[in-house]
Amino acid sequence: MRPPPEYHSFTSAAVEKELSRISAQITDPDIRQLLFINIMPNTLDTAIAWHYAGGTKDKLDYPYTFVITGDINAQWTRDSTNQLLPLLPYAAADASLNTLIARLVNMQAEQIAAYPFANAYKPPAQSGLVPGENGWAKGGTVHAPFDLRTVFEAKFEIDSLAAFFRLSTAFWREQQQDADSSDFDSEQRLNDATVRFVRTANTPTESSFGGGRGNPIRRTGMVRTLFRPSDDSVIFPFLVPANAMLDVELHALAGMLDKTGDTTIASRSRRLAEDITRGIYEFGTAEHPKYGHVFAYEVDGYGSRLLMDDANVPSLLALPYLGFVNATDPIYQKHSPYALIA
């Protein structure tokens, strides 16, 4: 059930108005209550752990929002984007909601600027929140090194960075704000960094192969990653659906930066996106004995391919949702029944 209003972590008049409007059109009481009234405002009701409006002439010059997922005082970049992005269409009618989303863009930008290789971050000290504790994070070796006071989980997942671009560009399209893509360069490296992740664990999904670097790869034009959106380690470092998401968001980012006058970074973003596109179609597909030419889930550039899918987004089934292909795309049409049956 939806919590009482006095326990809501944030309230948007525009969302409440839409909730009433749509609810009145749903005749089935279970669908109305369980699948709409409880779900649509759930992030605002339960997950806005901290929000600061800014403008008080203290050390906090910018507004911030810290969004939790579940009951842990930590913010996952991908999750927090997906939690607030569906509410963006209502922000034009609600200044407080608009500011709330702007605060999240600022929070994500600050977190990524401080340490771009993490997938989840702890609340800032000024929030007054008790940080969530990750006992796993103390039992491994990670390069580049991170600060346990600010990073909750340092698993490098390229879809987390793509999620930041997704929220930033979507918000900019509504508000004409600025964003930046300078974390990426045209050679598929993140500021020339070498990322390694080794953890002592009783499951192989909690660490990376190859001494923490991942399995060997051959250059494909795609961007390698160490972990999937499920937070499980990849088998082959070129995760195709995550690269597809990054491709879409880099194109969107380039379009935004063209408008804001940052044509140099826009060109780099577009060039990387084009490399990823070519890499996916040259190396990221495979011939299935029954279904024919399908997208692979992971590849290494040497010919090894993992044919599967994952329930987490980005996934291969979600490629149309991500904007990488249309649902009528011939390769996707072959992949879809294979993934659902497999």
Side-chain angles (χ1 to χ4, degrees):
M1 296 296 292
R2 191 179 181 194
E6 61 268 25
Y7 293 105
H8 293 177
S9 58
F10 188 87
T11 301
S12 164
V15 171
E16 294 296 329
K17 181 179 179 180
E18 184 71 352
L19 198 62
S20 298
R21 186 184 74 84
I22 298 296
S23 297
Q25 302 175 39
I26 302 175
T27 57
D28 186 299
D30 289 334
I31 293 177
R32 182 173 61 246
Q33 184 67 49
L34 299 178
L35 295 183
F36 186 67
I37 293 177
N38 289 352
I39 293 175
M40 181 188 175
N42 184 259
T43 292
L44 299 183
D45 288 352
T46 67
I48 309 302
W50 178 62
H51 52 96
Y52 170 78
T56 58
K57 295 184 178 180
D58 59 15
K59 293 182 180 180
L60 298 174
D61 296 325
Y62 300 100
Y64 294 105
T65 295
F66 192 82
V67 181
I68 62 172
T69 301
D71 58 356
I72 302 173
N73 271 351
Q75 177 173 289
W76 275 257
T77 306
R78 174 187 56 253
D79 295 346
S80 58
T81 288
N82 291 332
Q83 285 168 270
L84 280 187
L85 195 60
L87 302 179
L88 183 58
Y90 308 106
D94 188 335
S96 65
L97 179 61
N98 186 76
T99 303
L100 185 79
I101 298 173
R103 297 169 187 169
L104 179 59
V105 174
N106 288 339
M107 187 80 266
Q108 290 182 351
E110 184 172 290
Q111 291 166 336
I112 292 170
Y115 188 80
F117 310 107
N119 59 322
Y121 300 86
K122 294 181 179 180
Q126 60 264 39
S127 70
L129 297 174
V130 177
E133 289 299 323
N134 181 6
W136 287 99
K138 301 175 182 179
T141 301
V142 179
H143 185 82
F146 66 94
D147 189 341
L148 276 169
R149 294 171 298 179
T150 58
V151 172
F152 181 81
E153 182 70 290
K155 289 181 174 179
F156 180 52
E157 303 169 5
I158 59 173
D159 60 282
S160 292
L161 293 163
F164 167 65
F165 294 154
R166 188 178 183 90
L167 180 64
S168 301
T169 56
F171 185 78
W172 176 84
R173 284 192 294 269
E174 297 289 332
Q175 305 294 323
Q176 301 295 291
Q177 301 288 341
D178 293 331
D180 183 13
S181 69
S182 57
D183 288 325
F184 282 101
D185 70 17
S186 60
E187 293 300 320
Q188 289 71 45
R189 294 187 297 266
L190 204 66
N191 292 335
D192 296 317
T194 298
V195 184
R196 296 194 301 272
F197 190 102
V198 177
R199 173 175 288 171
T200 301
N202 56 9
T203 58
T205 57
E206 286 298 314
S207 190
S208 295
F209 297 98
R213 298 173 183 266
N215 277 321
I217 57 169
R218 175 189 175 194
R219 190 185 188 282
T220 65
M222 289 184 278
V223 180
R224 73 183 182 93
T225 189
L226 295 181
F227 289 89
R228 300 169 179 167
S230 63
D231 295 348
D232 292 342
S233 61
V234 298
I235 295 176
F236 303 121
F238 293 127
L239 179 57
V240 172
N243 271 275
M245 180 182 181
L246 185 58
D247 172 282
V248 171
E249 300 313 325
L250 285 171
H251 275 298
L253 189 62
M256 183 192 72
L257 293 173
D258 282 336
K259 296 287 187 180
T260 61
D262 200 339
T263 56
T264 299
I265 297 179
S267 295
R268 291 168 61 188
S269 300
R270 189 172 288 110
R271 187 166 61 248
L272 176 54
E274 291 168 353
D275 284 348
I276 292 172
T277 302
R278 285 192 295 268
I280 288 175
Y281 283 103
E282 183 175 352
F283 296 96
T285 61
E287 293 298 324
H288 189 276
K290 181 177 180 180
Y291 296 98
H293 198 56
V294 298
F295 289 108
Y297 186 70
E298 293 171 2
V299 300
D300 63 1
Y302 288 110
S304 297
R305 299 175 177 90
L306 179 61
L307 299 184
M308 58 163 279
D309 208 353
D310 193 288
N312 286 275
V313 175
S315 65
L316 294 174
L317 276 177
L319 291 181
Y321 166 75
L322 296 171
F324 183 71
V325 296
N326 294 321
T328 56
D329 178 88
I331 303 178
Y332 180 79
Q333 283 285 306
K334 293 177 181 178
H335 172 83
S336 182
Y338 154 69
L340 290 172
I341 293 172

